[in-house]
PDB file of all heavy atoms in Angstrom:
ATOM      1  N   GLY A 779     109.833  92.410  80.216  1.00  0.00           N
ATOM      2  CA  GLY A 779     110.370  91.243  79.546  1.00  0.00           C
ATOM      3  C   GLY A 779     110.475  90.023  80.446  1.00  0.00           C
ATOM      4  O   GLY A 779     110.040  90.034  81.607  1.00  0.00           O
ATOM      5  N   TYR A 780     111.075  88.975  79.903  1.00  0.00           N
ATOM      6  CA  TYR A 780     111.121  87.668  80.574  1.00  0.00           C
ATOM      7  C   TYR A 780     111.921  87.712  81.880  1.00  0.00           C
ATOM      8  O   TYR A 780     111.381  87.453  82.963  1.00  0.00           O
ATOM      9  CB  TYR A 780     111.724  86.641  79.621  1.00  0.00           C
ATOM     10  CG  TYR A 780     111.775  85.226  80.174  1.00  0.00           C
ATOM     11  CD1 TYR A 780     110.644  84.430  80.182  1.00  0.00           C
ATOM     12  CD2 TYR A 780     112.963  84.704  80.681  1.00  0.00           C
ATOM     13  CE1 TYR A 780     110.677  83.133  80.681  1.00  0.00           C
ATOM     14  CE2 TYR A 780     113.008  83.412  81.187  1.00  0.00           C
ATOM     15  CZ  TYR A 780     111.877  82.636  81.180  1.00  0.00           C
ATOM     16  OH  TYR A 780     111.925  81.357  81.683  1.00  0.00           O
ATOM     17  N   LEU A 781     113.199  88.050  81.799  1.00  0.00           N
ATOM     18  CA  LEU A 781     114.013  88.101  83.011  1.00  0.00           C
ATOM     19  C   LEU A 781     113.553  89.217  83.944  1.00  0.00           C
ATOM     20  O   LEU A 781     113.605  89.074  85.161  1.00  0.00           O
ATOM     21  CB  LEU A 781     115.488  88.301  82.645  1.00  0.00           C
ATOM     22  CG  LEU A 781     116.181  87.136  81.937  1.00  0.00           C
ATOM     23  CD1 LEU A 781     117.620  87.494  81.590  1.00  0.00           C
ATOM     24  CD2 LEU A 781     116.150  85.880  82.821  1.00  0.00           C
ATOM     25  N   GLY A 782     113.107  90.311  83.355  1.00  0.00           N
ATOM     26  CA  GLY A 782     112.630  91.417  84.166  1.00  0.00           C
ATOM     27  C   GLY A 782     111.451  91.044  85.041  1.00  0.00           C
ATOM     28  O   GLY A 782     111.305  91.535  86.159  1.00  0.00           O
ATOM     29  N   MET A 783     110.590  90.155  84.545  1.00  0.00           N
ATOM     30  CA  MET A 783     109.437  89.726  85.320  1.00  0.00           C
ATOM     31  C   MET A 783     109.870  88.947  86.552  1.00  0.00           C
ATOM     32  O   MET A 783     109.326  89.128  87.648  1.00  0.00           O
ATOM     33  CB  MET A 783     108.508  88.879  84.446  1.00  0.00           C
ATOM     34  CG  MET A 783     107.182  88.505  85.131  1.00  0.00           C
ATOM     35  SD  MET A 783     106.184  89.962  85.492  1.00  0.00           S
ATOM     36  CE  MET A 783     105.557  89.552  87.118  1.00  0.00           C
ATOM     37  N   PHE A 784     110.855  88.070  86.408  1.00  0.00           N
ATOM     38  CA  PHE A 784     111.374  87.343  87.565  1.00  0.00           C
ATOM     39  C   PHE A 784     111.983  88.312  88.575  1.00  0.00           C
ATOM     40  O   PHE A 784     111.770  88.199  89.790  1.00  0.00           O
ATOM     41  CB  PHE A 784     112.429  86.322  87.124  1.00  0.00           C
ATOM     42  CG  PHE A 784     111.866  85.114  86.440  1.00  0.00           C
ATOM     43  CD1 PHE A 784     112.074  84.903  85.088  1.00  0.00           C
ATOM     44  CD2 PHE A 784     111.123  84.172  87.143  1.00  0.00           C
ATOM     45  CE1 PHE A 784     111.559  83.788  84.442  1.00  0.00           C
ATOM     46  CE2 PHE A 784     110.605  83.054  86.517  1.00  0.00           C
ATOM     47  CZ  PHE A 784     110.822  82.859  85.165  1.00  0.00           C
ATOM     48  N   LYS A 785     112.748  89.279  88.073  1.00  0.00           N
ATOM     49  CA  LYS A 785     113.366  90.265  88.965  1.00  0.00           C
ATOM     50  C   LYS A 785     112.308  91.086  89.692  1.00  0.00           C
ATOM     51  O   LYS A 785     112.423  91.382  90.883  1.00  0.00           O
ATOM     52  CB  LYS A 785     114.290  91.182  88.164  1.00  0.00           C
ATOM     53  CG  LYS A 785     115.489  90.485  87.549  1.00  0.00           C
ATOM     54  CD  LYS A 785     116.263  91.446  86.657  1.00  0.00           C
ATOM     55  CE  LYS A 785     117.390  90.751  85.916  1.00  0.00           C
ATOM     56  NZ  LYS A 785     118.097  91.681  85.000  1.00  0.00           N
ATOM     57  N   MET A 786     111.277  91.468  88.956  1.00  0.00           N
ATOM     58  CA  MET A 786     110.205  92.271  89.540  1.00  0.00           C
ATOM     59  C   MET A 786     109.487  91.498  90.642  1.00  0.00           C
ATOM     60  O   MET A 786     109.186  92.034  91.715  1.00  0.00           O
ATOM     61  CB  MET A 786     109.228  92.666  88.429  1.00  0.00           C
ATOM     62  CG  MET A 786     108.100  93.556  88.892  1.00  0.00           C
ATOM     63  SD  MET A 786     108.679  95.178  89.403  1.00  0.00           S
ATOM     64  CE  MET A 786     107.218  95.752  90.247  1.00  0.00           C
ATOM     65  N   PHE A 787     109.192  90.240  90.379  1.00  0.00           N
ATOM     66  CA  PHE A 787     108.501  89.406  91.360  1.00  0.00           C
ATOM     67  C   PHE A 787     109.322  89.290  92.640  1.00  0.00           C
ATOM     68  O   PHE A 787     108.815  89.509  93.750  1.00  0.00           O
ATOM     69  CB  PHE A 787     108.250  88.023  90.771  1.00  0.00           C
ATOM     70  CG  PHE A 787     107.561  87.065  91.701  1.00  0.00           C
ATOM     71  CD1 PHE A 787     106.178  86.990  91.757  1.00  0.00           C
ATOM     72  CD2 PHE A 787     108.302  86.228  92.528  1.00  0.00           C
ATOM     73  CE1 PHE A 787     105.543  86.117  92.627  1.00  0.00           C
ATOM     74  CE2 PHE A 787     107.678  85.345  93.402  1.00  0.00           C
ATOM     75  CZ  PHE A 787     106.299  85.291  93.447  1.00  0.00           C
ATOM     76  N   VAL A 788     110.595  88.950  92.499  1.00  0.00           N
ATOM     77  CA  VAL A 788     111.451  88.756  93.673  1.00  0.00           C
ATOM     78  C   VAL A 788     111.669  90.081  94.422  1.00  0.00           C
ATOM     79  O   VAL A 788     111.598  90.125  95.649  1.00  0.00           O
ATOM     80  CB  VAL A 788     112.799  88.139  93.266  1.00  0.00           C
ATOM     81  CG1 VAL A 788     113.773  88.116  94.449  1.00  0.00           C
ATOM     82  CG2 VAL A 788     112.593  86.727  92.731  1.00  0.00           C
ATOM     83  N   ALA A 789     111.903  91.148  93.681  1.00  0.00           N
ATOM     84  CA  ALA A 789     112.135  92.440  94.326  1.00  0.00           C
ATOM     85  C   ALA A 789     110.899  92.906  95.092  1.00  0.00           C
ATOM     86  O   ALA A 789     111.006  93.423  96.214  1.00  0.00           O
ATOM     87  CB  ALA A 789     112.526  93.484  93.279  1.00  0.00           C
ATOM     88  N   GLY A 790     109.721  92.717  94.503  1.00  0.00           N
ATOM     89  CA  GLY A 790     108.493  93.091  95.202  1.00  0.00           C
ATOM     90  C   GLY A 790     108.294  92.280  96.463  1.00  0.00           C
ATOM     91  O   GLY A 790     107.891  92.802  97.501  1.00  0.00           O
ATOM     92  N   GLY A 791     108.595  90.977  96.381  1.00  0.00           N
ATOM     93  CA  GLY A 791     108.489  90.132  97.558  1.00  0.00           C
ATOM     94  C   GLY A 791     109.481  90.519  98.632  1.00  0.00           C
ATOM     95  O   GLY A 791     109.146  90.570  99.827  1.00  0.00           O
ATOM     96  N   LEU A 792     110.711  90.799  98.245  1.00  0.00           N
ATOM     97  CA  LEU A 792     111.737  91.200  99.214  1.00  0.00           C
ATOM     98  C   LEU A 792     111.370  92.514  99.894  1.00  0.00           C
ATOM     99  O   LEU A 792     111.510  92.648 101.123  1.00  0.00           O
ATOM    100  CB  LEU A 792     113.090  91.342  98.516  1.00  0.00           C
ATOM    101  CG  LEU A 792     113.779  90.052  98.067  1.00  0.00           C
ATOM    102  CD1 LEU A 792     115.032  90.375  97.260  1.00  0.00           C
ATOM    103  CD2 LEU A 792     114.131  89.180  99.271  1.00  0.00           C
ATOM    104  N   ALA A 793     110.903  93.473  99.111  1.00  0.00           N
ATOM    105  CA  ALA A 793     110.510  94.760  99.681  1.00  0.00           C
ATOM    106  C   ALA A 793     109.371  94.594 100.685  1.00  0.00           C
ATOM    107  O   ALA A 793     109.370  95.210 101.749  1.00  0.00           O
ATOM    108  CB  ALA A 793     110.097  95.724  98.571  1.00  0.00           C
ATOM    109  N   GLY A 794     108.412  93.732 100.334  1.00  0.00           N
ATOM    110  CA  GLY A 794     107.305  93.474 101.249  1.00  0.00           C
ATOM    111  C   GLY A 794     107.769  92.820 102.533  1.00  0.00           C
ATOM    112  O   GLY A 794     107.351  93.197 103.637  1.00  0.00           O
ATOM    113  N   GLY A 795     108.655  91.837 102.424  1.00  0.00           N
ATOM    114  CA  GLY A 795     109.153  91.142 103.602  1.00  0.00           C
ATOM    115  C   GLY A 795     109.960  92.049 104.511  1.00  0.00           C
ATOM    116  O   GLY A 795     109.828  92.002 105.744  1.00  0.00           O
ATOM    117  N   VAL A 796     110.792  92.890 103.926  1.00  0.00           N
ATOM    118  CA  VAL A 796     111.634  93.797 104.712  1.00  0.00           C
ATOM    119  C   VAL A 796     110.783  94.798 105.485  1.00  0.00           C
ATOM    120  O   VAL A 796     111.009  95.046 106.677  1.00  0.00           O
ATOM    121  CB  VAL A 796     112.639  94.529 103.798  1.00  0.00           C
ATOM    122  CG1 VAL A 796     113.314  95.677 104.549  1.00  0.00           C
ATOM    123  CG2 VAL A 796     113.695  93.551 103.296  1.00  0.00           C
ATOM    124  N   LEU A 797     109.788  95.395 104.818  1.00  0.00           N
ATOM    125  CA  LEU A 797     108.935  96.369 105.519  1.00  0.00           C
ATOM    126  C   LEU A 797     108.108  95.686 106.597  1.00  0.00           C
ATOM    127  O   LEU A 797     107.913  96.246 107.689  1.00  0.00           O
ATOM    128  CB  LEU A 797     108.026  97.093 104.522  1.00  0.00           C
ATOM    129  CG  LEU A 797     107.235  98.267 105.123  1.00  0.00           C
ATOM    130  CD1 LEU A 797     108.193  99.347 105.628  1.00  0.00           C
ATOM    131  CD2 LEU A 797     106.284  98.865 104.091  1.00  0.00           C
ATOM    132  N   TYR A 798     107.618  94.485 106.312  1.00  0.00           N
ATOM    133  CA  TYR A 798     106.857  93.748 107.325  1.00  0.00           C
ATOM    134  C   TYR A 798     107.710  93.509 108.566  1.00  0.00           C
ATOM    135  O   TYR A 798     107.264  93.756 109.690  1.00  0.00           O
ATOM    136  CB  TYR A 798     106.379  92.420 106.756  1.00  0.00           C
ATOM    137  CG  TYR A 798     105.737  91.509 107.791  1.00  0.00           C
ATOM    138  CD1 TYR A 798     104.407  91.704 108.180  1.00  0.00           C
ATOM    139  CD2 TYR A 798     106.464  90.479 108.397  1.00  0.00           C
ATOM    140  CE1 TYR A 798     103.827  90.890 109.137  1.00  0.00           C
ATOM    141  CE2 TYR A 798     105.886  89.668 109.354  1.00  0.00           C
ATOM    142  CZ  TYR A 798     104.565  89.871 109.718  1.00  0.00           C
ATOM    143  OH  TYR A 798     103.991  89.069 110.672  1.00  0.00           O
ATOM    144  N   ALA A 799     108.932  93.034 108.376  1.00  0.00           N
ATOM    145  CA  ALA A 799     109.811  92.750 109.507  1.00  0.00           C
ATOM    146  C   ALA A 799     110.168  94.032 110.260  1.00  0.00           C
ATOM    147  O   ALA A 799     110.191  94.054 111.496  1.00  0.00           O
ATOM    148  CB  ALA A 799     111.077  92.047 109.029  1.00  0.00           C
ATOM    149  N   ALA A 800     110.418  95.103 109.517  1.00  0.00           N
ATOM    150  CA  ALA A 800     110.819  96.359 110.148  1.00  0.00           C
ATOM    151  C   ALA A 800     109.728  96.955 111.029  1.00  0.00           C
ATOM    152  O   ALA A 800     110.010  97.524 112.095  1.00  0.00           O
ATOM    153  CB  ALA A 800     111.237  97.364 109.076  1.00  0.00           C
ATOM    154  N   LEU A 801     108.475  96.824 110.596  1.00  0.00           N
ATOM    155  CA  LEU A 801     107.364  97.426 111.343  1.00  0.00           C
ATOM    156  C   LEU A 801     106.666  96.448 112.282  1.00  0.00           C
ATOM    157  O   LEU A 801     105.788  96.858 113.054  1.00  0.00           O
ATOM    158  CB  LEU A 801     106.341  98.008 110.370  1.00  0.00           C
ATOM    159  CG  LEU A 801     106.841  99.148 109.460  1.00  0.00           C
ATOM    160  CD1 LEU A 801     105.711  99.653 108.571  1.00  0.00           C
ATOM    161  CD2 LEU A 801     107.414 100.285 110.298  1.00  0.00           C
ATOM    162  N   SER A 802     107.038  95.180 112.232  1.00  0.00           N
ATOM    163  CA  SER A 802     106.344  94.180 113.044  1.00  0.00           C
ATOM    164  C   SER A 802     106.407  94.436 114.554  1.00  0.00           C
ATOM    165  O   SER A 802     105.435  94.124 115.257  1.00  0.00           O
ATOM    166  CB  SER A 802     106.860  92.771 112.721  1.00  0.00           C
ATOM    167  OG  SER A 802     108.245  92.655 112.990  1.00  0.00           O
ATOM    168  N   PRO A 803     107.490  94.997 115.113  1.00  0.00           N
ATOM    169  CA  PRO A 803     107.459  95.291 116.552  1.00  0.00           C
ATOM    170  C   PRO A 803     106.373  96.285 116.939  1.00  0.00           C
ATOM    171  O   PRO A 803     105.854  96.249 118.065  1.00  0.00           O
ATOM    172  CB  PRO A 803     108.862  95.864 116.826  1.00  0.00           C
ATOM    173  CG  PRO A 803     109.720  95.285 115.755  1.00  0.00           C
ATOM    174  CD  PRO A 803     108.840  95.249 114.553  1.00  0.00           C
ATOM    175  N   LEU A 804     106.018  97.177 116.028  1.00  0.00           N
ATOM    176  CA  LEU A 804     104.985  98.171 116.316  1.00  0.00           C
ATOM    177  C   LEU A 804     103.595  97.568 116.358  1.00  0.00           C
ATOM    178  O   LEU A 804     102.697  98.106 117.015  1.00  0.00           O
ATOM    179  CB  LEU A 804     105.016  99.286 115.262  1.00  0.00           C
ATOM    180  CG  LEU A 804     106.327 100.071 115.141  1.00  0.00           C
ATOM    181  CD1 LEU A 804     106.211 101.109 114.027  1.00  0.00           C
ATOM    182  CD2 LEU A 804     106.680 100.737 116.460  1.00  0.00           C
ATOM    183  N   SER A 805     103.415  96.466 115.657  1.00  0.00           N
ATOM    184  CA  SER A 805     102.092  95.840 115.584  1.00  0.00           C
ATOM    185  C   SER A 805     102.017  94.547 116.396  1.00  0.00           C
ATOM    186  O   SER A 805     101.001  93.858 116.369  1.00  0.00           O
ATOM    187  CB  SER A 805     101.724  95.554 114.124  1.00  0.00           C
ATOM    188  OG  SER A 805     102.701  94.715 113.518  1.00  0.00           O
ATOM    189  N   GLY A 806     103.098  94.219 117.095  1.00  0.00           N
ATOM    190  CA  GLY A 806     103.102  93.002 117.906  1.00  0.00           C
ATOM    191  C   GLY A 806     103.170  91.728 117.114  1.00  0.00           C
ATOM    192  O   GLY A 806     102.714  90.686 117.573  1.00  0.00           O
ATOM    193  N   THR A 807     103.745  91.788 115.919  1.00  0.00           N
ATOM    194  CA  THR A 807     103.802  90.593 115.065  1.00  0.00           C
ATOM    195  C   THR A 807     105.243  90.186 114.739  1.00  0.00           C
ATOM    196  O   THR A 807     105.476  89.507 113.747  1.00  0.00           O
ATOM    197  CB  THR A 807     103.038  90.838 113.745  1.00  0.00           C
ATOM    198  OG1 THR A 807     103.586  91.992 113.092  1.00  0.00           O
ATOM    199  CG2 THR A 807     101.558  91.057 114.005  1.00  0.00           C
ATOM    200  N   SER A 808     106.194  90.592 115.568  1.00  0.00           N
ATOM    201  CA  SER A 808     107.596  90.288 115.257  1.00  0.00           C
ATOM    202  C   SER A 808     107.881  88.792 115.274  1.00  0.00           C
ATOM    203  O   SER A 808     108.856  88.342 114.675  1.00  0.00           O
ATOM    204  CB  SER A 808     108.524  91.004 116.246  1.00  0.00           C
ATOM    205  OG  SER A 808     108.221  90.642 117.591  1.00  0.00           O
ATOM    206  N   GLY A 809     107.038  88.017 115.940  1.00  0.00           N
ATOM    207  CA  GLY A 809     107.225  86.573 115.970  1.00  0.00           C
ATOM    208  C   GLY A 809     106.260  85.828 115.072  1.00  0.00           C
ATOM    209  O   GLY A 809     106.244  84.595 115.066  1.00  0.00           O
ATOM    210  N   VAL A 810     105.454  86.559 114.301  1.00  0.00           N
ATOM    211  CA  VAL A 810     104.452  85.954 113.419  1.00  0.00           C
ATOM    212  C   VAL A 810     105.000  85.905 111.995  1.00  0.00           C
ATOM    213  O   VAL A 810     105.241  86.959 111.392  1.00  0.00           O
ATOM    214  CB  VAL A 810     103.132  86.741 113.439  1.00  0.00           C
ATOM    215  CG1 VAL A 810     102.117  86.090 112.518  1.00  0.00           C
ATOM    216  CG2 VAL A 810     102.599  86.844 114.857  1.00  0.00           C
ATOM    217  N   PRO A 811     105.212  84.715 111.434  1.00  0.00           N
ATOM    218  CA  PRO A 811     105.778  84.631 110.089  1.00  0.00           C
ATOM    219  C   PRO A 811     104.783  85.094 109.021  1.00  0.00           C
ATOM    220  O   PRO A 811     103.590  84.825 109.115  1.00  0.00           O
ATOM    221  CB  PRO A 811     106.092  83.140 109.908  1.00  0.00           C
ATOM    222  CG  PRO A 811     105.983  82.533 111.256  1.00  0.00           C
ATOM    223  CD  PRO A 811     105.030  83.383 112.029  1.00  0.00           C
TER     224      PRO A 811
END
């Protein structure tokens, strides 16, 4: 639905950002936005 789509978009983005930040020290990208 309408509101669900906004929630899905933001949640997917947040999950992606969190995992990227968490694993970035392993790949040498902790300072790469």
Side-chain angles (χ1 to χ4, degrees):
Y780 182 79
L781 292 178
M783 186 64 221
F784 286 111
K785 295 174 186 177
M786 183 67 194
F787 179 89
V788 172
L792 288 174
V796 168
L797 188 62
Y798 172 81
L801 298 181
S802 60
L804 300 178
S805 58
T807 56
S808 57
V810 180

